[in-house]
């Protein structure tokens, strides 16, 4: 978190240039023999809010899924982000 604060201010807030993304439902994600039939739309700001709520109630597995969407966005949009 300290690295994010150094690069993006006191809160370590990385701005979202895009908010929505395509998502493949879990049951189709690892079935590579078939092309996904049902793409859904996810929302990064909603994922972020869900994780913030999780900090208050206790993190569960579904929060990790939400975090993975945010981490993927950061890795695509900030490839030079340095986290020592």
């Amino acid at each position: 978190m300290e690295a994010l604060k150094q690069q993006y201010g006191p809160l370590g807030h990385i701005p979202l240039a895009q908010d929505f993304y395509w998502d493949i439902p879990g049951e189709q994600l690892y079935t590579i023999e078939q092309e996904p039939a049902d793409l859904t739309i996810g929302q990064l700001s909603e994922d972020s809010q869900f994780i913030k709520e999780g900090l208050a109630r206790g993190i569960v597995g579904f929060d990790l899924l939400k975090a993975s969407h945010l981490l993927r966005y950061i890795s695509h949009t900030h490839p030079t982000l340095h986290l020592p």
Side-chain angles (χ1 to χ4, degrees):
M1 190 63 174
E2 288 304 314
L4 289 175
K5 289 179 182 179
Q6 289 176 1
Q7 295 175 61
Y8 293 98
L11 298 177
H13 176 78
I14 296 176
L16 299 176
Q18 291 88 25
D19 194 20
F20 295 94
Y21 58 88
W22 288 111
D23 192 27
I24 300 171
E27 64 275 1
Q28 296 178 35
L29 187 58
Y30 301 103
T31 308
I32 59 171
E33 299 82 19
Q34 297 176 335
E35 192 167 328
D38 300 315
L39 295 177
T40 59
I41 295 175
Q43 187 173 11
L44 294 168
S45 60
E46 182 180 88
D47 295 340
S48 178
Q49 183 60 38
F50 199 86
I51 292 169
K52 287 175 188 173
E53 292 168 3
L55 294 173
R57 66 172 148 61
I59 298 294
V60 296
F62 192 66
D63 296 322
L64 299 176
L65 176 63
K66 297 295 189 177
S68 73
H69 297 304
L70 291 164
L71 291 170
R72 185 176 200 170
Y73 172 80
I74 293 168
S75 71
H76 286 166
T77 60
H78 297 79
T80 60
L81 179 67
H82 179 65
L83 299 174

